[in-house]
Amino acid sequence: MNQVKIIIFTLLLGLYTFCQVGNKGELKVKIPKNGPVFSKVIYQGDDQVYKNYPLEPDEFYNPILQGCYPDPAITRKGDDYYMVCSSFAMFPGVPIFHSNDLVNWTQIGHVLDRISQLDVHDTHISGGVYAPGITYNPNNDTFYMIVTAFAGGLGNIIVKTKDPMQGWSEPKKLNFNGIDPCIFFDDDGKGYIVHNDAPDEGKELYDGHRVIKIWDYDVENDQVINGTDQIIVDGGVDLTNKPIWIEAPHIYKKNERYYLMCAEGGTGDWHSEVIFVSETPKGPFIPASNNPILTQRYFTKDRKNKVDWAGHADLVEGPDGKYYGVFLAIRPNEKDRVNIGRETFILPVDWSGEFPVFENGLIPMEPKLRLPEGVTNKTKQEGFFPNGNFTFKENFSSEKLDYRWIGLRGPREKFINITKKGLIIEPFEANIKELKPTSTLFYRQQHNHFTFTTTMEYKPGSEKDLAGIVCFQNEGSNYVFGITKKDNEHVVLLEKNQRKSRIDQEVSSEIIASTKIDINNPIQLQVKATGDDYQFSYSTNEIDFVSLGDIVSGDILSTNIAGGFTGALIGLYTTSGNNSLPE
């Protein structure tokens, strides 16, 4: 018996030595010796617009969240504002931000930060979860986040909490189809859910014809009440004009009347925001005569400092008693390509009349706004989220990784380990072209003109090993800039991966340039974007940078070319399943 105990003890000890407990109690394999060590990252934004429009003391920049933070939704409890955005197959999911003044924002985490809440391990980057709604219910002092989960077979889900700073519940699957749900609580405590859906079977009139539905919501059991659903908007403002993609509905109550605000026109260059009114939360809803109340679709395409695709908005009363609206829009580069993705903007809203109207939301938008009365601009300071041109520095010395670093299709804790030397990334067998979790730590591209530089120590053991930087729009549209081994020599290579078409899933890979490299000292890898031009360089002495190959086009990193809903990401990447080698 003692011998058996010794054997069991030895096996358990071996298992303990082989594994360590990661965040949230997950077993995490120790990093192998050939994992790269990233000791430093510097991201520098350098957009000309911010040089041309320096801030005055009473101003702040718009967008308030730069980079891929689309589909914003906002709620308020007292002096606290909480805002969420779409995250698709990024993990953790649904970033959440806090503010007391609508100008200075801090990211307090993610709503869906556990695999039990969100499983996106085999999901295309533009799948996952998107178009969240967040609502505070004063009747039971509870926050609700509702979202469509295109992963794990969940569909529409809801989570809740008493305190967004302390995490959220496990998801509850809701018994309805469609997308873009939002929850509304009336003064009498009754709850309602509105969402986008397809027309009833056999009643679709044209491509893009959608409807808005409403359900009664059982607050005690957190479920829609079967049989209570009804269509409250068919098609959009005017069905005879064949409006497309009425979506992202929100209900507000003001002066004992109910207002339904929706996006219309699709999340592209015909995007807009429209408003309806009713005497009851279930309609009938009458459209305003002055719709749309927000759009950028009517202006010349070559306008200066272009902001476009504005829509998918949510309203909240500000600390000054005035209304404000958060919404998504884009800032394309000089070739009108959308590499940054859809970002979160804000505008004051004039609701002095019957219907709200976004102030200056129907003229070409400007890059900066006047601060609300009594507010000081503290962005870039005291931990507040930066905007404008800024520098983000990371030396991976903190035990808690910045929330801006994200994984794709799985937790970052599965492959990272913070040590005294820096961040070590465990190489997964999956490479960046596969529809699987990859060992890549991503940062959102937040400017059209930027430099991203990392310092890396790495000794690949074979041709299957590769580590470096990836500029990523999706698994079929990316650039890999990394170090691998060929024969007995180490090489740095630049690879272009591009899907043959949006429909064809086959990825065409091309080694654009490669050269031998000395890896005895730490290597610096750098990508510099000047609008649509991307340049990849390396340094072996931390001073002199050598360009690898010619300048390449950032077209495959844009939504225009690659499709989907996300902006470009820059990743610290490694794999033990490399299949790309120079000849």
Side-chain angles (χ1 to χ4, degrees):
M1 182 64 69
N2 288 337
Q3 186 176 5
V4 173
K5 289 182 178 178
I6 291 172
I7 292 173
I8 293 173
F9 177 80
T10 303
L11 289 172
L12 290 174
L13 181 61
L15 179 63
Y16 177 81
T17 303
F18 181 70
C19 299
Q20 61 184 13
V21 176
N23 287 4
K24 303 188 183 297
E26 295 172 350
L27 285 178
K28 176 179 167 185
V29 179
K30 276 195 170 181
I31 306 300
K33 292 182 179 179
N34 63 336
V37 181
F38 295 94
S39 56
K40 186 185 299 183
V41 169
I42 300 176
Y43 173 93
Q44 294 175 293
D46 193 34
D47 284 347
Q48 187 62 39
V49 62
Y50 298 120
K51 301 174 185 178
N52 295 342
Y53 292 84
L55 289 177
E56 298 297 329
D58 63 344
E59 294 176 329
F60 69 105
Y61 282 127
N62 213 10
I64 50 174
L65 299 183
Q66 293 171 214
C68 181
Y69 294 101
D71 308 330
I74 193 167
T75 196
R76 175 184 183 180
K77 177 186 177 182
D79 295 330
D80 295 301
Y81 296 86
Y82 297 94
M83 183 167 62
V84 292
C85 303
S86 291
S87 57
F88 306 97
M90 305 169 202
F91 196 98
V94 188
I96 180 167
F97 300 85
H98 171 263
S99 178
N100 293 119
D101 52 30
L102 300 178
V103 173
N104 304 297
W105 292 90
T106 56
Q107 186 172 358
I108 60 173
H110 293 80
V111 175
L112 305 177
D113 58 2
R114 306 184 296 276
I115 292 178
S116 60
Q117 295 173 307
L118 176 65
D119 187 359
V120 286
H121 70 278
D122 58 355
T123 304
H124 184 278
I125 188 173
S126 286
V129 290
Y130 54 79
I134 187 170
T135 305
Y136 172 66
N137 182 4
N139 302 296
N140 61 2
D141 190 27
T142 301
F143 291 86
Y144 296 76
M145 194 285 295
I146 186 171
V147 71
T148 308
F150 285 91
L154 287 175
N156 292 295
I157 60 173
I158 195 164
V159 295
K160 58 185 184 178
T161 184
K162 293 288 187 181
D163 183 357
M165 301 280 189
Q166 301 299 320
W168 296 73
S169 69
E170 291 299 305
K172 177 71 175 289
K173 179 177 172 60
L174 299 170
N175 297 331
F176 62 88
N177 296 319
I179 62 171
D180 292 13
C182 186
I183 193 164
F184 165 74
F185 298 99
D186 209 342
D187 300 335
D188 59 7
K190 290 183 178 179
Y192 303 88
I193 284 180
V194 286
H195 66 95
N196 162 299
D197 206 347
D200 291 341
E201 187 175 354
K203 294 186 178 181
E204 182 176 356
L205 302 178
Y206 51 87
D207 189 27
H209 177 201
R210 304 289 289 182
V211 303
I212 300 298
K213 284 185 177 179
I214 190 168
W215 298 74
D216 292 349
Y217 185 74
D218 183 342
V219 179
E220 292 298 321
N221 295 301
D222 289 315
Q223 187 57 264
V224 292
I225 299 175
N226 189 37
T228 63
D229 59 308
Q230 64 184 68
I231 294 173
I232 53 176
V233 173
D234 185 3
V237 169
D238 185 350
L239 187 60
T240 63
N241 291 330
K242 297 183 178 180
I244 62 171
W245 285 101
I246 190 78
E247 58 189 354
H250 296 276
I251 290 181
Y252 312 95
K253 189 174 185 180
K254 186 173 186 286
N255 297 331
E256 299 306 312
R257 304 188 82 193
Y258 297 85
Y259 293 83
L260 173 69
M261 190 174 74
C262 305
E264 188 183 279
T267 185
D269 58 11
W270 203 247
H271 209 194
S272 70
E273 200 70 17
V274 295
I275 192 85
F276 306 77
V277 68
S278 173
E279 299 299 327
T280 74
K282 302 191 78 170
F285 279 93
I286 309 301
S289 60
N290 60 324
N291 279 316
I293 59 173
L294 166 70
T295 192
Q296 295 287 288
R297 68 191 180 198
Y298 298 120
F299 314 119
T300 58
K301 297 301 181 183
D302 59 350
R303 61 189 182 273
K304 189 177 181 182
N305 303 321
K306 180 178 176 181
V307 175
D308 211 352
W309 299 10
H312 201 117
D314 197 4
L315 302 179
V316 71
E317 187 176 353
D320 55 0
K322 185 179 181 66
Y323 280 86
Y324 291 83
V326 294
F327 57 97
L328 73 80
I330 60 158
R331 295 176 299 141
N333 65 24
E334 292 86 343
K335 293 189 176 179
D336 209 35
R337 290 179 177 140
V338 186
N339 292 43
I340 303 176
R342 300 171 304 158
E343 307 174 281
T344 289
F345 289 71
I346 192 169
L347 280 177
V349 172
D350 182 354
W351 206 341
S352 57
E354 181 179 5
F355 294 104
V357 176
F358 287 74
E359 294 183 13
N360 297 325
L362 297 172
I363 62 174
M365 288 177 57
E366 296 291 331
K368 57 183 184 177
L369 294 171
R370 186 70 57 86
L371 287 166
E373 186 175 351
V375 175
T376 301
N377 187 352
K378 297 181 181 179
T379 56
K380 306 185 198 178
Q381 309 169 36
E382 302 176 25
F384 290 107
F385 211 73
N387 59 11
N389 282 333
F390 58 83
T391 299
F392 171 75
K393 295 182 179 180
E394 176 70 86
N395 60 12
F396 301 109
S397 60
S398 173
E399 291 184 5
K400 186 177 181 182
L401 200 59
D402 193 289
Y403 289 126
R404 283 170 281 187
W405 291 110
I406 51 174
L408 177 62
R409 307 188 191 98
R412 57 192 189 177
E413 289 78 17
K414 288 278 189 177
F415 56 83
I416 65 170
N417 190 14
I418 297 176
T419 70
K420 291 181 179 179
K421 294 181 67 177
L423 179 82
I424 303 177
I425 298 184
E426 172 195 348
F428 287 177
E429 289 186 7
N431 65 55
I432 204 68
K433 293 172 281 189
E434 296 183 77
L435 200 64
K436 299 177 181 178
T438 66
S439 43
T440 316
L441 193 64
F442 286 106
Y443 183 90
R444 291 168 174 87
Q445 179 179 330
Q446 297 177 294
H447 300 79
N448 283 310
H449 297 243
F450 73 89
T451 303
F452 181 97
T453 308
T454 187
T455 303
M456 178 181 76
E457 290 184 57
Y458 181 57
K459 291 186 178 180
S462 73
E463 296 178 349
K464 289 290 186 181
D465 297 328
L466 181 143
I469 291 175
V470 59
C471 288
F472 186 90
Q473 174 59 234
N474 60 51
E475 58 278 356
S477 298
N478 56 76
Y479 287 105
V480 173
F481 180 44
I483 294 170
T484 187
K485 190 173 185 179
K486 181 170 172 35
D487 300 325
N488 291 320
E489 296 177 321
H490 297 105
V491 296
V492 57
L493 62 81
L494 176 61
E495 177 186 36
K496 178 182 180 180
N497 296 310
Q498 183 175 13
R499 189 167 286 137
K500 293 182 178 180
S501 72
R502 292 191 185 186
I503 300 175
D504 191 345
Q505 296 301 303
E506 184 179 349
V507 178
S508 173
S509 298
E510 175 190 2
I511 303 298
I512 295 175
S514 65
T515 189
K516 298 175 186 177
I517 191 171
D518 180 3
I519 62 168
N520 289 323
N521 295 315
I523 306 299
Q524 286 188 304
L525 300 176
Q526 182 180 92
V527 54
K528 182 177 182 179
T530 307
D532 191 61
D533 296 332
Y534 283 65
Q535 186 173 28
F536 296 85
S537 306
Y538 66 93
S539 173
T540 57
N541 61 12
E542 299 188 9
I543 299 174
D544 304 306
F545 278 86
V546 180
S547 179
L548 186 66
D550 298 327
I551 290 173
V552 298
S553 173
D555 58 354
I556 65 169
L557 304 177
S558 70
T559 303
N560 318 55
I561 302 298
F565 301 117
T566 61
L569 306 174
I570 312 159
L572 305 177
Y573 165 60
T574 186
T575 179
S576 60
N578 178 47
N579 58 6
S580 302
L581 288 170
E583 295 181 358

